[in-house]
Amino acid sequence: MKNEIIEKSYALAKEQYAAIGIDTDNVIAAMAKIDISLHCWQTDDVGGFEKAGSVLGGGGIQATGNYPGKAKTIEQMRADLDKVLSLLPGRQRLSLHAIYGEFGGELVDRDKIEVKHFQGWIDWAKERGMGLDFNCTCFSHPLADDGFTLSSKDENVRKFWVEHTKRCREISAEMGKQLGTPCVHNIWIPDGSKDVPVDRNGLRKNLKKSLDEIFSVEYSKEYIKDSVESKLFGIGSESMVVGSHDFYVGYAIKNNTMITLDNGHFHPTEQVGDKISSILNFVDEILLHLTRGVRWDSDHVLTFNDELLLIAQEIIRANALDRVNIGLDFFDASLNRIGAYVIGTRSAQLAFMYAMLEPTKTLVEFEEKGRTFERLAYLELLRTMPFGAVYDYYCHTNNVLTGEAYIKEIIKYEEEVLMSR
Ligand code: RNT
Ligand code: ZN
């Protein structure tokens, strides 16, 4: 899009928003607070670099499709991430999984990983002024094959995963220390039962014991922020998930950890947006895993839909941005992965910008006076306001391509880089 058109469109949009009491310049300035953590696993369908050509293991994580161009080495992944970063306005973080270390061709088992395997990533992030987040990888491993990790009744298996997760927290704390911004460490485990189990209680007691052991090591909150992620069901855990929402909400409140809300992890009619103002009354901070579930936790590319919008609106309306860590969690192997990455991240940015372009105070006044027609009418009006022009201008002021130009740039990268992999 021509600069002149971007600027003219923005000038008109600015006037339209001013008429309903919104200062678009302020909103653009506030976008600096939308720090989105990019999930590294979108570049390679959650494969990781433990061994060459590794494939996705069990545990309810499933990517479908085999579009060419997936990152097969750390160098390729870093090149892809740089491309993605160049097409995004604002600041981002990077979220790594434990299987993405630099293991130098050696097979380093999960209970042996160390900071040194991630020092390259820390340096990489430092050069770019980015923060890092981290995730233990309790799946895609022979000791996770029977579906139980931290809740396993096999004491050796349980201990193995406790040790892995402890090491992941140690690595996270070091990342936070070296980079000067706390690293969010997220625990998600696949543990659950395909068919109706009998001893749910025993498994949940085990999970609680494992978490207590893991969190018995204390680190400064300046270095690490801990979070736990629940799930309703997964492939192979249809009948029961040990780490259910009730389990982790209870654990998080009692132990002052964060709760991870992945919007693919609930019943399709449940809204994660509705949960935010409840949970934030009882825990200090939350982590979001933004995704798009189609009929199930399918992890489709995030798009600008009502579900995402409600999440962003609820955070902005509750003035809770500084208590929400925004992470992404989608992986689709059926289309250009870099394109998917950029679409999803831009959609998240757009949702937060849209939420900030709302005259919330006026709407609340209508609501409190019972003037529900005007509340609804304004909400509908906002949908056709020129928020796209504001987003384009935001990209423009960040020297980032807008409109169809970014699409062409991704096609060029596909032709020049991805297709020759
Ligand atoms: C799985 C969880 C989990 C993973 C990532 C890779 O259902 O959403 O967050 O997607 O850790
Ligand atoms: Zn998730």
Side-chain angles (χ1 to χ4, degrees), residues 41 61 135 186 188 229-231 260-265 288-291 297 299 328-331:
W41 50 96
I61 301 259
N135 302 263
N186 182 47
W188 175 76
E229 179 179 8
S230 71
K231 186 160 176 160
T260 304
L261 294 173
D262 180 316
N263 57 304
H265 288 192
L288 295 176
H289 266 190
L290 299 176
T291 187
D297 183 29
D299 285 308
L328 306 173
D329 188 10
F330 53 85
F331 33 98

Side-chain angles (χ1 to χ4, degrees), residues 128-311:
R128 285 156 184 77
M130 289 173 85
L132 285 180
D133 297 319
F134 203 54
N135 302 263
C136 50
T137 313
C138 302
F139 51 84
S140 304
H141 188 280
L143 290 185
D145 275 353
D146 74 347
F148 297 100
T149 62
L150 289 177
S151 73
S152 178
K153 290 194 175 184
D154 179 331
E155 192 59 7
N156 289 329
V157 172
R158 195 186 69 78
K159 285 272 183 221
F160 174 88
W161 292 110
V162 167
E163 180 61 27
H164 169 64
T165 311
K166 278 185 161 176
R167 282 171 182 253
C168 287
R169 288 185 70 239
E170 191 184 332
I171 294 165
S172 301
E174 185 59 27
M175 286 174 165
K177 189 175 179 185
Q178 287 193 36
L179 295 171
T181 164
C183 170
V184 173
H185 181 260
N186 182 47
I187 299 181
W188 175 76
I189 55 166
D191 299 32
S193 182
K194 184 179 176 81
D195 218 330
V196 184
V198 175
D199 190 16
R200 298 172 198 250
N201 184 42
L203 292 163
R204 292 199 166 119
K205 285 234 145 60
N206 269 0
L207 177 55
K208 181 176 178 296
K209 183 163 83 177
S210 294
L211 293 174
D212 288 346
E213 286 170 21
I214 289 162
F215 293 127
S216 70
V217 184
E218 281 187 36
Y219 297 99
S220 159
K221 289 241 182 231
E222 280 173 40
Y223 300 153
I224 177 174
K225 298 198 280 193
D226 287 293
S227 199
V228 286
E229 179 179 8
S230 71
K231 186 160 176 160
L232 177 65
F233 82 94
I235 293 182
S237 62
E238 289 85 349
S239 296
M240 189 244 359
V241 163
V242 184
S244 61
H245 188 56
D246 311 65
F247 178 92
Y248 281 130
V249 165
Y251 194 88
I253 293 171
K254 198 157 180 193
N255 298 282
N256 198 23
T257 72
M258 304 198 290
I259 265 279
T260 304
L261 294 173
D262 180 316
N263 57 304
H265 288 192
F266 296 87
H267 190 280
T269 65
E270 265 185 283
Q271 292 274 12
V272 160
D274 181 57
K275 297 179 189 297
I276 292 167
S277 57
S278 295
I279 292 182
L280 282 182
N281 264 294
F282 304 101
V283 299
D284 292 341
E285 292 189 29
I286 58 170
L287 168 64
L288 295 176
H289 266 190
L290 299 176
T291 187
R292 177 167 54 106
V294 178
R295 303 191 188 276
W296 72 292
D297 183 29
S298 60
D299 285 308
H300 278 69
V301 182
L302 194 59
T303 54
F304 184 70
N305 63 15
D306 280 1
E307 185 174 318
L308 171 63
L309 203 48
L310 184 67
I311 294 171

Side-chain angles (χ1 to χ4, degrees), residues 17 27 31 34 36 288 290-291 302-317 321 326 328 343-358 387-388 391 394:
Y17 279 106
V27 170
M31 285 301 285
I34 310 295
I36 297 180
L288 295 176
L290 299 176
T291 187
L302 194 59
T303 54
F304 184 70
N305 63 15
D306 280 1
E307 185 174 318
L308 171 63
L309 203 48
L310 184 67
I311 294 171
Q313 285 167 325
E314 281 301 301
I315 293 163
I316 298 300
R317 290 166 180 167
L321 252 188
I326 310 166
L328 306 173
I343 291 173
T345 317
R346 284 188 178 222
S347 300
Q349 292 181 325
L350 200 53
F352 280 97
M353 177 174 266
Y354 183 98
M356 290 194 267
L357 289 167
E358 174 185 277
F387 55 93
Y391 185 77
Y394 169 54

